[in-house]
Amino acid sequence: MITLSSDFGSPYPAAMKGTILRHSDARIVDIAHDFPRQDVEAAAFWLREVLPYFPPAVHCVVVDPGVGTERAAVAVRAGEHVLVGPDNGVLLPAARQLADDVSVFEIDYDDPGSTTFHGRDVFAPAAATIHEMGVDAFETGERFAHVSEYVDLRFPEPTERADGVAGEVLVVDGFGNAITNVPGEYLAERFGSDVTVNGVWAPARQTYAAVEAGSRLVTVGSHGNVELAVNRGRGDERFSVSPGSRVRLRWTGGGQ
Amino acid sequence: MITLSSDFGSPYPAAMKGTILRHSDARIVDIAHDFPRQDVEAAAFWLREVLPYFPPAVHCVVVDPGVGTERAAVAVRAGEHVLVGPDNGVLLPAARQLADDVSVFEIDYDDPGSTTFHGRDVFAPAAATIHEMGVDAFETGERFAHVSEYVDLRFPEPTERADGVAGEVLVVDGFGNAITNVPGEYLAERFGSDVTVNGVWAPARQTYAAVEAGSRLVTVGSHGNVELAVNRGRGDERFSVSPGSRVRLRWTGGGQ
Amino acid sequence: MITLSSDFGSPYPAAMKGTILRHSDARIVDIAHDFPRQDVEAAAFWLREVLPYFPPAVHCVVVDPGVGTERAAVAVRAGEHVLVGPDNGVLLPAARQLADDVSVFEIDYDDPGSTTFHGRDVFAPAAATIHEMGVDAFETGERFAHVSEYVDLRFPEPTERADGVAGEVLVVDGFGNAITNVPGEYLAERFGSDVTVNGVWAPARQTYAAVEAGSRLVTVGSHGNVELAVNRGRGDERFSVSPGSRVRLRWTGGGQ
């Protein structure tokens, strides 16, 4: 199985699929091709959330603002999974979620004819090769060289405060839910009570439908993090936040 | 074969696919993941139109405004098809189109870790289980209990009038065609003549291209219902209608 | 393998997939369903770019402004590939790219119940039949009749000038890159120098990242043609062009 993720929109991913299918009869599963353009952090977040639900697979990821520059191409082994993509950190948070033991290999690729579509000309062929060869791909030492230096990416950690916690918005999903870096555990014991978010009152509830349509709430999303939301509406707009915005949660102690 | 339908946009459906693929090697086919958000009627309409073209399959549907509340999860047997989704009526119009004999089973599910992503944590696993077990899933009586009470959904019926018919817009498709609940039979004998729609004159024609680009027409869509359209344009805007709008058709008797 | 391409958006392509899957267990691969609406030239361009990356397949293409009129349905053999779609030229540029030897067959189809959804009622069944029968489909002479007259489509050729080249924009991709009909060879020797585009200065560079974010450049895209672009921005807006716009490139001789 090979999964595909990119910020390419359409129809460019089809050329990646064709390239893979000329070299492999792997099942191909699209993760998403509408990741925010050239936003390495957002893609890294979503991959960390989604890939752990998959069985062992080769995950080909192309969110690559540095395409055409000297940045390396890497394959990351994480247990029985392999992630393939540019050396910009996008693969690492998901890889660490998939396995405790992570190894990074630099991909030795021929300079493709195109300098602007490495998804088709570099990453898709590498994913197909790894899928066909399995772990042997890394053991011959020919095309994949183990490296100890590579670009890493870690999400910012929230800071615990006396009266709450300070974090930030990592991504906004398509519903407008503003997903923060604050672990849901902070909120889990406060469901039913009220909090403030950047000074604005909001009820902490376990599910969107616990407040009326159009009303704001703070909840824990399916990813396990605290989320600023509006039932049947957009939390990002109502809380005036976007990716990178600081989020100061205070436990006000108010009850339902 | 398992089909997937939702209003999730991207990338949430990928987590459903991963979940299924850990438990099944079923072929997965996306119906759509951009159904209008939390619009149970629109999803029910499209499923009724599209699913009958499929061979026997398990159809996993998640348009679920009540996620996290007490609403049940159901599996609906319709001939050789099974539909899985929330108990809000979204499955029933398609099920009745697929088979005369429809049975509803409540799904006994463990409370998932997440209260906001039942698509991944409840419906996808149930669909995979049903796909792997086949009809036996319903005969053990363990996880799926036959029920006679469930939420149903029926589309409004049009009303015949002396000089025409009164109906309403059910959905607007991506082209801007406003699809009504009026069966195409009403219009079929009038192609070539003129009608009025809410008092506005429009030619009744068998195909978009029968009028000039940019001109309005009333036609019968591929779903068999009367449709308010504009050749190479948006019918909803030109006829000033949206889902739920009343549509009064009058046969004016004018000819081509 | 059957690939699907259309301008249908969602969820109409699902009905095509269901129809195919009732008659075939072919692997189905989506090329795109968001081609610009009823834009035969744009679809023809993208198919010519993408299909050559695929292994032999049946390619079902529905961008069909003339649906419901007398236009024929055709199947085009191009080496081991077959393209199926309306007789409006959309298949021919890709077919010629796939093989030197191209044959066109008119599809004899029963008038479908629907006059507005030939994708589901004519082209999908024809693609499934061809997939199942292979080349025999064309040799029985029953449903597919060889024809020598059909609608062709060729992209405009650029004109070489003393001080540069005159061409036009063929399509704009989702990133906003304006893709011209000027072959990349014209630019390949000028990377690092400057040109003017319709009188506006722009650096000719091999890759987007060679200029600062937000800066314009002229480059050669992955399709091999000259492209008007902005690093991490939209080239079509910055250069004030859209499909069909004339593009006059002048070599100014300025250096980096």
Side-chain angles (χ1 to χ4, degrees), chain A residues 1 27 29-32 34-35 46 50 52-55 173-175 179 206-209 219-223 227 232, chain B residues 7-8 10-12 14-15 17-19 21-22 25-28 37-38 65 67-69 114-117 120-121:
Chain A
M1 187 182 311
R27 183 197 278 261
V29 182
D30 290 307
I31 303 296
D34 59 355
F35 283 134
W46 287 117
V50 170
Y53 291 93
F54 276 81
D173 72 12
F175 291 90
I179 302 171
Q206 203 162 353
T207 177
Y208 305 126
T219 188
V220 177
S222 56
H223 33 75
E227 194 176 280
R232 306 200 188 190
Chain B
D7 61 356
F8 287 153
S10 167
Y12 291 113
K17 293 181 196 178
T19 299
L21 292 169
R22 278 188 300 152
D25 64 352
R27 183 197 278 259
I28 295 177
R37 287 273 157 88
Q38 306 190 320
V67 63
T69 65
S114 159
T115 54
T116 55
F117 195 1
R120 178 191 71 195
D121 300 336

Side-chain angles (χ1 to χ4, degrees), chain C residues 17-31:
Chain C
K17 292 180 195 178
T19 299
I20 289 169
L21 292 169
R22 278 188 300 151
H23 297 103
S24 166
D25 64 351
R27 183 197 278 260
I28 296 177
V29 182
D30 290 307
I31 303 296

Side-chain angles (χ1 to χ4, degrees), chain A residues 4 8-22 117 119-121 124, chain C residues 1-6 29-35 41-61 81 83 90-98 155 171 173-174 179 222-225:
Chain A
L4 298 182
F8 287 154
S10 168
Y12 292 113
M16 294 177 64
K17 292 181 196 179
T19 299
I20 289 170
L21 292 169
R22 278 188 300 152
F117 195 1
R120 179 190 71 194
D121 300 335
Chain C
M1 187 182 310
I2 297 176
T3 78
L4 298 181
S5 303
S6 78
V29 182
D30 290 307
I31 303 296
H33 293 289
D34 59 355
F35 283 135
E41 283 216 8
F45 174 83
W46 287 116
L47 293 169
R48 188 188 68 174
E49 293 310 312
V50 169
L51 297 190
Y53 290 94
F54 276 81
V58 178
H59 305 287
C60 183
V61 177
H81 294 260
L83 301 94
V90 70
L91 308 175
L92 273 300
R96 280 190 290 261
Q97 194 77 20
L98 286 165
F155 298 110
V171 297
D173 73 12
I179 302 171
S222 55
H223 32 74
N225 286 14

Side-chain angles (χ1 to χ4, degrees), chain B residues 27 34 53 173-174 206 232, chain C residues 10 12 22 25-26 38 115:
Chain B
R27 183 197 278 259
D34 59 354
Y53 290 94
D173 74 12
Q206 203 163 353
R232 305 201 190 190
Chain C
S10 168
Y12 292 112
R22 278 188 300 151
D25 64 351
Q38 306 189 320
T115 54

Side-chain angles (χ1 to χ4, degrees), chain C residues 150-216:
Chain C
Y150 51 87
V151 178
D152 201 353
L153 185 161
R154 290 177 188 273
F155 298 110
E157 295 287 338
T159 310
E160 198 162 343
R161 299 289 174 82
D163 61 348
V165 59
E168 68 177 67
V169 175
L170 295 179
V171 297
V172 173
D173 73 12
F175 291 89
N177 299 314
I179 302 171
T180 74
N181 64 340
V182 178
E185 289 71 35
Y186 280 97
L187 209 66
E189 295 182 7
R190 297 174 200 280
F191 286 134
S193 69
D194 301 333
V195 303
T196 65
V197 181
N198 296 341
V200 175
W201 169 90
R205 296 291 183 271
Q206 202 163 352
T207 178
Y208 306 125
V211 301
E212 291 191 8
S215 290
R216 64 176 179 265

Side-chain angles (χ1 to χ4, degrees), chain C residues 96-118:
Chain C
R96 280 190 290 261
Q97 194 77 20
L98 286 165
D100 294 329
D101 184 28
V102 163
S103 314
V104 180
F105 299 81
E106 186 171 331
I107 301 172
D108 180 24
Y109 61 89
D110 295 332
D111 189 26
S114 159
T115 54
T116 55
F117 196 0
H118 283 194

Side-chain angles (χ1 to χ4, degrees), chain C residues 222-244:
Chain C
S222 55
H223 32 74
N225 286 14
V226 170
E227 195 175 280
L228 313 182
V230 166
N231 185 24
R232 305 201 190 191
R234 295 192 65 92
D236 59 337
E237 294 177 1
R238 190 68 75 78
F239 286 95
S240 300
V241 293
S242 57

